[in-house]
Amino acid sequence: MFRGISFSVEAGNLLQLVGPNGSGKSTLLRLIAGLCDIADGSLALDGGHEELSIGQQCHYAAHQDAIKPALTVVENLRFWSGFLGGGNVDGALAAFDLKRLETFPAALLSAGQRHRLSLSRLALLPRPIWLLDEPTVGLDSASLEKLWALIRDHLVKGGLAIAATHVPLPFPGTEKLDLGVEAAA
Amino acid sequence: MSILWALIRRDLTLAIRQGGGVGTALGFFLTFVVLLPLGLGPDQALLQRLAPGALWVALLLSVLLSASTLFQQDYEDGSLDVMALGAAPLELVALAKSAAHWLSAGLPLAIAAPLLGFLLNLNPAGIWPLAISMITGSLALSLIASIGAAVTVGLRRGGLLVSLLVLPLYVPVLIFGVSASAGGPQIATAALLILLALALVSLVLAPLAAAAALRAYLK
Amino acid sequence: MQQFANPARFLALANRILPFIWVAAIVAFAAGLYGALAAAPADYQQGETVRIMFVHVPAAWLAMFVYAVMAISSAIAIVFRHPLADAAAKCAAPIGAVFCFLALATGSIWGRPMWGTWWVWDARLTSMFVLMLLYLGYIAVWQAIDDPHRAALVARVVALAGAINLPIVKFSVDWWNSLHQPASVLRMDGPAIHSSILWPLLVMAIAYTLLFLALHLVAIRAEIGQRKIRALRIAAIGER
C-alpha cells in the first residue's frame, strides 16, 4: 500500500491525514488500530497501558457505523458500553444531542443522525487514542461544532487523535501528513 | 463475563426483533418434514423406522442454514471492527455469538423437532431420547456452523460454500446423534456421552477457528 | 523483493532435484507395475481383479498422506509463518483430491465384481468419501476468495478443522457401521498378504509417493511464478 512513512503524535495533539483517494489513509488508521498487519515497520505507544494492545486503547470511527437498525438509539449505546467495559451512556447521548431520539429505533434515523450516533461512541468512555476516518461527512454545522468540542476536550485531557479528512481543522498545532506526497517520494 | 453477556443479550434481542431467525428455521424444518413422506410414500412402518434419522438431518440443515450468516451483519456494518478493539478477544466474541445462536435457534429447534415427530409416526417412546440428544447435539451444530460462517463472512455468495465446508464436519454429530436417539439403551447412553464430548470439544476449538478466520477478513 | 529471497532458494533446489525424482518415479512405476501385472500371482478367489489392489491401495494411502501434508503445512504456516507453507498446502490439495478420487473409483470398479455393487456405505468408503469432500471444500475456499493473502489465512483454518475432524469421522463411521452390519461381509484384507504381492504393493506405494513429490514441487514452482506475476502487476499499477 505504502512504504517509507514515519510520523509521531504527541499527547494533546492531532494529526491530520490527507492525500488523494487510494493513498491509504483508511488503511493507515486500520493499521494503527491493529486491524491490519504491518508488513514491515513498527508502531509504538509511549506511556500507554502496558497490558492492553494499542487497538484496545483506540476509539475507531469509520464509515461503517456499527449500528444495529433493529435496536433503539439507547440500546445501541448500552450494548457498546457493556461490550467495551463500562461507560457513560447519558453523557454519550448528550454529546451529539441524541437524548430526544433515544427510544427511536436506529432504523428510523437519517444518515446524519446515524453518523452522530456512531460518533457518540467516542464520548462513551475515555480511550487515549482516537482514530477518525472522515468524521465530518454528513454532519450539519451544529453537530460539527459538537464534534470539534468533543475532540478539543479529548486533546485538552491529554489524548491524541488521528483524523483522515480534508476539512480544515480548528485546532492549533495540528500537524499534517500527506500520504500522496510521502508515497511518491 | 459481563462482556459476553452484553453480546449474547444483544444477539437474542436482535433475533427476536428482526425475524428471519428461529421462525424461519422452524418453517424450514416443518417443510422438510412434510416433504419427506411425499417422497418416500405414506408407509407408516417405514416412516417410523426413518423418523429419528430424518429429524436429525432436518435439524442439521436448519441449524446450518440459520447459522451460515452468523457474522455477516456484524462484519458488514463495522461492529466486528469495534469488537476487535474491545477488551474481549475475538475468540470470546465468536463463542458468545455461537451461544446466542444456540439459544435462539438450535435449542428451540431441538425442543420442537421431537414434537413434530408425530408427522413421521415417531415412536412415542423415542421422544425423550431424541429431545435430549438433539439438545446436546445442536450445541455442537451451532458451534461448528460458526466456523463455516466465519470462513465465508466476506464472500458475497458464500451460502453453498458453507454447506460444502460444514456438512462433512457434521458427520460425527449426525452418526452419534442418531445412535443416541434410536439405539438400544446401552448404545444410546454411550452415544449420548460421545455427543456431549463432541459438543465440549467444539466449545473449545470452534471459537478458536472462527476467530482466526474472522481476523483474516478484518485485514 | 525480500519476500522472494526464500522462494528463490527453494526454486533452485527444486530445479536441481526434480529430474532425479522424475527418474526415480518412472523406475519405481516400471518395477511396481511389472511386479503387479506380471510377477504377482492371480488370487485364487478373486482372479485377475486382485491386481486393481496395486493401483487402489497406494492411492488410498496417498490420499490420506497428502491431507496430512496439507494440514502440517498449514500448521507450519501458522506457527512459523514460513512463506512457502501456504503454497505447499494449496498445491497439495488438488493432487490429494485426484488420489482420493482414484482410490474411490478403483475401489468401486473392484467392488462391482467382488461385492456385486458399485458402492456400499461401508465405514471405510464413507470416511474416504468425507475426505474427498474435505479436499473439495479446501480447494473451493482458495477459489472463492480473491485476495491470496486472505485466502491463505482462511484456508489454514479449513485445512486444520478438517484434519481434526477426519479421525473423528473415521472413528464414528466405524462405530456406525458396526451397528448395521457385521464386519465379515466387507473384509477387505481377504488373502493373507504373501511376499509376492507385498513387494509390488510397497514398490507401487513408493512410486506413488515419488509421483506426488514431483507433482507437488512442479505445482509449488508454478504457484511461485503466479505470485511473482501478481506482484509485478500490482507494482505496475502503482507506477501508473
Side-chain angles (χ1 to χ4, degrees), chain C residues 7 21 56 129-130 157 161 166 168 174-175 177 179 187 228:
Chain C
I21 297 178
H56 171 74
F129 193 78
V130 172
V157 175
L166 199 58
I168 305 179
D174 277 339
W175 213 66
N177 179 264
L179 281 179
R187 273 168 65 103
K228 242 183 230 174

Side-chain angles (χ1 to χ4, degrees), chain B residues 6-28:
Chain B
L7 185 51
I8 292 175
R9 206 172 42 195
R10 184 200 69 163
D11 271 21
L12 290 179
T13 314
L14 288 174
I16 293 166
R17 282 200 201 154
Q18 280 184 324
V22 67
T24 318
L26 269 172
F28 172 83

Side-chain angles (χ1 to χ4, degrees), chain B:
Chain B
M1 212 51 213
S2 66
I3 294 175
L4 287 188
W5 180 233
L7 185 51
I8 292 175
R9 206 172 42 195
R10 184 200 69 163
D11 271 21
L12 290 179
T13 314
L14 288 174
I16 293 166
R17 282 200 201 154
Q18 280 184 324
V22 67
T24 318
L26 269 172
F28 172 83
F29 193 99
L30 194 64
T31 317
F32 185 93
V33 170
V34 170
L35 284 180
L36 212 62
L38 298 180
L40 295 171
D43 178 353
Q44 292 287 50
L46 177 69
L47 285 179
Q48 183 159 54
R49 208 151 47 84
L50 292 180
L55 290 171
W56 262 100
V57 173
L59 177 75
L60 228 71
L61 293 178
S62 21
V63 170
L64 175 64
L65 289 178
S66 62
S68 58
T69 51
L70 188 61
F71 300 106
Q72 198 84 37
Q73 277 197 336
D74 282 328
Y75 174 73
E76 282 168 4
D77 71 12
S79 297
L80 218 50
D81 285 338
V82 182
M83 287 181 194
L85 305 183
L90 277 180
E91 282 80 3
L92 285 184
V93 171
L95 180 66
K97 286 194 72 73
S98 310
H101 176 263
W102 181 64
L103 288 173
S104 67
L107 192 59
L109 280 169
I111 292 170
L115 302 179
L116 291 174
F118 75 93
L119 290 172
L120 296 177
N121 195 25
L122 177 72
N123 184 357
I127 289 183
W128 272 113
L130 192 62
I132 293 170
S133 62
M134 279 188 161
I135 289 170
T136 316
S138 59
L139 178 59
L141 296 180
S142 284
L143 285 159
I144 296 171
S146 77
I147 305 178
V151 159
T152 56
V153 69
L155 304 179
R156 249 153 284 135
R157 294 187 301 156
L160 284 175
L161 185 56
V162 175
S163 313
L164 177 59
L165 294 174
V166 170
L167 287 177
L169 304 184
Y170 274 178
V171 169
V173 180
L174 177 63
I175 288 173
F176 290 114
V178 172
S179 312
S181 33
Q186 273 189 323
I187 289 176
T189 314
L192 187 62
L193 290 176
I194 296 179
L195 207 54
L196 193 60
L198 288 176
L200 292 176
V201 169
S202 328
L203 198 64
V204 177
L205 294 181
L208 290 178
L214 288 178
R215 286 207 181 89
Y217 280 102
L218 290 181
K219 279 163 189 172

Side-chain angles (χ1 to χ4, degrees), chain A residues 121-133:
Chain A
R121 252 190 300 117
L122 297 172
L124 199 55
L125 72 169
R127 284 190 163 191
I129 307 170
W130 287 10
L131 304 173
L132 310 171
D133 198 351

